[in-house]
Structures are given as C-alpha cells and as structure tokens.
Amino acid sequence: MENKCMKKKIEISSWPRRSHYEYFQTFDCPMFSITSPVRVDSLYRYAKREGVSFFILCLFVLLKALNRVPQLRQRVEEGDVWEYESVDALVPVLAADGEFTQILVEYRMELSDFLKHAVPLVQAAKLAPAQANPCHRADIAVFSCLPWIPFTQVASAYRVFRGQYFPLIHWGKMEANASGRMVMPVAIQANHVLVDGVHVGRFYGILEELCGNQFC
C-alpha cells in the first residue's frame, strides 16, 4: 500500500507546543508508556452475538480511538512536524506455524467497511507462511495483541529511541475484575516530543466510550 500523504504541516514557530517539542527533542529516550484496563463487556457480547472476530473488533476500536486524537497522528519528518488526516495499523497475525506475519490494515470509520477490508487480510495472513513485512511509512501506528497475558506493563523493542514517533499499542488477555466486569489491558507507548499524558487520557476516554456505547 502506498502512503496516502494526506497531511498538513504544523508551523513550529507559532505552535503552542514549541517549547515542549524542543525540550523533549533533547532526551535520549523520549518514549513513555501507560497501561490501563478497559471495560470490554459490550464489545465482547457484540462479537459473540454478531459472529465477529473479537481480535478484529478490538483492532477497529483501538485504531478508531487513536485516529480521534490529533497528537497521535502527528509525526516528525526531516525536521518538520506533520499531522496526518488518518493513520493505518501495522499489526502481527499469528500464522499456522506459530510465527507471525505483519499486515497493514487501513483505517475505516465504519465497522462494516473495516470488516470487509480487514477480515480477508487476517485470514490470508493466518494461512500464508509467516513473514515480518516491515513497513517504513510514517502514517501508521503499530498494534499487537497478547491474548495469553493479562499484563500490567509493556516495553517494546526499538532500533533507536530517537526518531521513533509512531505510537505502539498492545492489548492483552480479557478477564473478569473484582466486580465481575470484563476488562482488558491496553498499553500505549508514545513519544513525549509530540504526545503528553492528557492526550493519552483522551485516547483511553474515547476507547472506553467506543467499547461501551457503540456496542450496547
């Protein structure tokens, strides 16, 4: 898939975030990580009721929540800051041999459109030989599902910390909490050059709303 290149340039000289941007650019490791449980009762019931893959449904709401936070769509490219209109998902799919294949799944606002696009890609990846398929586009976020582990923290592999601007999102094993509600850990790693805690908080707030109201 080719880069859509639908983006707008942010003028750093007049950008309210300029001082924070310049400050965090001096860090050797500007990445930060937050993990929080997310209620998925309604989402899981919907998947069962409609016969939809819970994995693909989770990817849909996670990608949609991310795209609704502008800071998570911003990237630094050759010294300039750009904000993409939307970003797509690079996500590993477990193949039959136990290894994984990375696939690029486009963002679609409507679930029906997303399913038509994503389901064949996931099914094909499960049947084909495993392949890393690295992607060098800027307009992506990296997602990963760890359905075997109800984790409380995640640290990802990096070639370098500097210059790593796309967010990384992990989701894990769904379990019942003390109140009997189904929760799932969701971790997000982002670059402080562009993203603050308040923006991550918005991501989680939107995600909770999508998992609840949209699928009741």
Side-chain angles (χ1 to χ4, degrees), residues 14-204:
S14 58
W15 191 24
R17 187 175 177 78
R18 176 180 176 179
S19 64
H20 299 81
Y21 166 82
E22 293 174 345
Y23 172 66
F24 285 112
Q25 285 281 29
T26 67
F27 282 42
D28 289 329
C29 178
M31 300 295 291
F32 71 100
S33 177
I34 295 176
T35 303
S36 181
V38 175
R39 280 193 60 185
V40 291
D41 305 76
S42 298
L43 195 69
Y44 184 69
R45 286 196 298 268
Y46 179 90
K48 289 296 184 183
R49 184 173 69 246
E50 301 296 327
V52 176
S53 163
F54 187 61
F55 167 80
I56 296 178
L57 198 56
C58 287
L59 181 61
F60 170 73
V61 294
L62 287 162
L63 184 57
K64 189 167 186 176
L66 183 142
N67 270 286
R68 286 177 56 181
V69 181
Q71 290 77 13
L72 297 176
R73 292 184 273 108
Q74 293 172 358
R75 306 288 183 267
V76 180
E77 301 173 38
E78 298 181 352
D80 294 321
V81 180
W82 297 86
E83 183 176 305
Y84 283 89
E85 183 177 355
S86 66
V87 297
D88 298 327
L90 184 67
V91 59
V93 174
L94 195 64
D97 59 6
E99 300 295 334
F100 68 87
T101 293
Q102 288 176 298
I103 61 172
L104 192 63
V105 181
E106 293 179 356
Y107 172 59
R108 306 287 173 90
M109 290 186 64
E110 300 300 327
L111 177 60
S112 58
D113 293 336
F114 188 81
L115 292 175
K116 289 177 184 177
H117 167 66
V119 169
L121 292 175
V122 171
Q123 291 176 340
K126 288 181 177 180
L127 298 175
Q131 190 171 358
N133 292 335
C135 179
H136 303 292
R137 284 171 40 177
D139 61 335
I140 62 167
V142 177
F143 295 78
S144 185
C145 179
L146 302 171
W148 318 277
I149 310 168
F151 58 77
T152 57
Q153 186 178 359
V154 170
S156 291
Y158 300 93
R159 284 193 178 92
V160 292
F161 286 111
R162 287 180 178 270
Q164 161 62 34
Y165 295 108
F166 50 76
L168 299 98
I169 295 92
H170 296 75
W171 72 102
K173 183 178 180 180
M174 177 181 59
E175 289 190 326
N177 64 10
S179 302
R181 294 169 175 170
M182 302 306 293
V183 296
M184 181 179 72
V186 174
I188 180 169
Q189 294 167 270
N191 194 314
H192 231 328
V193 168
L194 300 170
V195 181
D196 293 329
V198 64
H199 309 128
V200 172
R202 288 172 188 160
F203 165 77
Y204 279 107

